[in-house]
Structure formats: C-alpha cells, structure tokens
Amino acid sequence: MFKAYRFIERGGKYLSPDLVETAEDVYQYVQAHKEHYPEVRITADHDNYIAVQAFNGIITFPKKWALLEVKQKYIDEPVSFNSDAFKQALERSGFPTESNIDFTVFAAQHYLTEVYEGIEGED
C-alpha cells in the first residue's frame, strides 16, 4: 500500500493523500498528476520511504523511472530526434551531460543504457 500526495507548492502544502495499491497504480497516478502539480510524491513504509517523486512534470526518483521516461518521450515517441531537447530532458531528470555532445538516436540509446546500468542498485 502506498500514499500518494499532490503538492500545491513544492515541498509545502499538499492535498489529502490518496491510497494506491500496486506499482501499476503508482505509475498511473504519477502520470495523471505530474503535469498538474509542482510535486507529486508517493510514499511507502508508513511515509518514511519515498517510492516515487516528480517535480514540475518530470519524474526525478527513482532514477531508473526518470531515465525510462526520457527514453519514452525523446527517443521512442517523437517523429524526429532532437539532441538538444534530449540533453535538456536529461538535465531536468538529474543527469547532466556535456554541452558540446551532439547525440544521434543511436548514441542517445546507448548513453541511456550505460547510465541505466551504472545506477543499478542505487534506488
């Protein structure tokens, strides 16, 4: 069982928590609310453990979810790949890159795989 919070102001006031039961429910909740609230936070273990967190429409924790979201939005879904938009999405998700790198779709996929594998066990 998880508690899902929608913050009216980041790190401040929030609406009454909603109860969500499964990982799929958590994912759907975050997707439904992250664009409409400055912070969405899902907790477990009697509010002592943050399971998922999104700020200003971007999942920032767990890091693997953040990377999967960047992949989905900037590699899997768009008609054409934009290296600068990809790098900005990485930055917002907590994965800054060097500004002089110009990613291709293949290089971006490879980079995400390396980062994803590099954070194994961190969340």
Side-chain angles (χ1 to χ4, degrees):
M1 182 71 68
F2 301 91
K3 287 186 182 177
Y5 296 88
R6 292 168 289 152
F7 284 74
I8 298 167
E9 55 187 55
R10 188 172 165 175
K13 294 182 181 184
Y14 53 87
L15 301 174
S16 296
D18 297 307
L19 297 178
V20 291
E21 292 189 21
T22 67
E24 178 65 25
D25 295 338
V26 168
Y27 180 78
Q28 293 302 325
Y29 188 93
V30 172
Q31 292 302 318
H33 297 292
K34 68 181 181 155
E35 300 289 338
H36 305 288
Y37 295 91
E39 180 179 357
V40 174
R41 185 184 305 167
I42 311 295
T43 63
D45 299 331
H46 308 293
D47 298 337
N48 294 325
Y49 172 71
I50 294 176
V52 180
Q53 194 162 32
F55 294 116
N56 301 320
I58 304 291
I59 294 174
T60 58
F61 184 83
K63 292 295 185 187
K64 288 184 177 183
W65 279 31
L67 288 173
L68 291 173
E69 186 170 59
V70 168
K71 181 180 182 294
Q72 178 186 8
K73 283 185 174 180
Y74 296 92
I75 295 175
D76 296 345
E77 292 178 359
V79 175
S80 63
F81 178 76
N82 182 314
S83 180
D84 288 332
F86 174 73
K87 290 189 293 189
Q88 290 169 6
L90 286 172
E91 179 81 30
R92 288 190 306 271
S93 296
F95 298 97
T97 63
E98 295 180 29
S99 61
N100 62 345
I101 296 175
D102 190 24
F103 286 100
T104 63
V105 173
F106 179 75
Q109 289 173 327
H110 183 70
Y111 180 81
L112 285 177
T113 299
E114 285 183 356
V115 173
Y116 189 89
E117 291 172 354
I119 61 173
E120 197 72 37
E122 285 187 21
D123 292 335

